[in-house]
Amino acid sequence: MEALGWTKERRRGGKTSFPINLPMVSVGELRGNVSKIRFRISDTIAKRGEATSEAVRQAFPEAVSRIASCLGFEPTGKPWVDEGADWDFENGSQVRLLIGENMLEIQVRSKEIADNERWERSRGIDPSDNLANRPE
């Protein structure tokens, strides 16, 4: 969090440096490892709409820059289905920044999870599609 310019205030969270009313950061864990970091960049937290979406999109380049600076390299790709940026590591793990309706989300993805999506992508399987429509 400090490398991103944020303040750690509790075991699994803190505050972003974005100038907003509720600059809270929530950190998810899976088996003792960071699995997800969620944070909002817009004051219109409760409202979803065009203005909020635009605020998220405007904050995206700065978030990419900060993450790239923290990781030491630029994004290596983009998510297959969602909007965002991916940073792939030599060991197969991945960091993903997603653009949501009213927030940006950072996911720390294990090699297994990243490999699963790579496999689906190589076979043209859309993860948002109904399982019944998938090719055999």
Side-chain angles (χ1 to χ4, degrees):
M1 292 185 80
E2 289 173 6
L4 291 169
W6 299 349
T7 306
K8 183 174 170 136
E9 293 189 337
R10 56 190 190 284
R11 185 174 171 268
R12 288 196 239 171
K15 289 187 177 180
T16 72
S17 57
F18 292 112
I20 61 174
N21 287 334
L22 294 171
M24 302 307 293
V25 177
S26 171
V27 179
E29 289 185 20
L30 182 62
R31 296 185 203 117
N33 296 307
V34 173
S35 62
K36 187 181 293 187
I37 303 169
R38 298 182 82 165
F39 58 98
R40 299 178 194 271
I41 55 84
S42 171
D43 284 335
T44 56
I45 291 170
K47 298 178 183 177
R48 291 188 176 162
E50 202 171 307
T52 304
S53 294
E54 183 59 29
V56 170
R57 291 185 187 291
Q58 287 180 5
F60 179 73
E62 181 183 348
V64 168
S65 177
R66 287 187 188 196
I67 294 168
S69 176
C70 185
L71 296 177
F73 61 99
E74 294 298 315
T76 54
K78 296 179 179 183
W80 181 35
V81 176
D82 301 308
E83 288 187 76
D86 287 337
W87 287 262
D88 293 295
F89 295 91
E90 289 182 15
N91 67 2
S93 64
Q94 186 179 66
V95 168
R96 173 169 283 173
L97 175 64
L98 292 173
I99 301 174
E101 282 184 80
N102 65 342
M103 75 173 63
L104 295 173
E105 178 176 281
I106 301 170
Q107 296 179 348
V108 179
R109 300 157 51 97
S110 69
K111 178 185 181 329
E112 292 78 17
I113 291 172
D115 281 349
N116 184 57
E117 182 177 294
R118 290 180 192 113
W119 182 86
E120 287 178 344
R121 184 184 293 202
S122 73
R123 284 156 181 78
I125 300 170
D126 181 344
S128 64
D129 196 8
N130 185 325
L131 290 174
N133 297 331
R134 293 190 179 192
E136 292 185 31

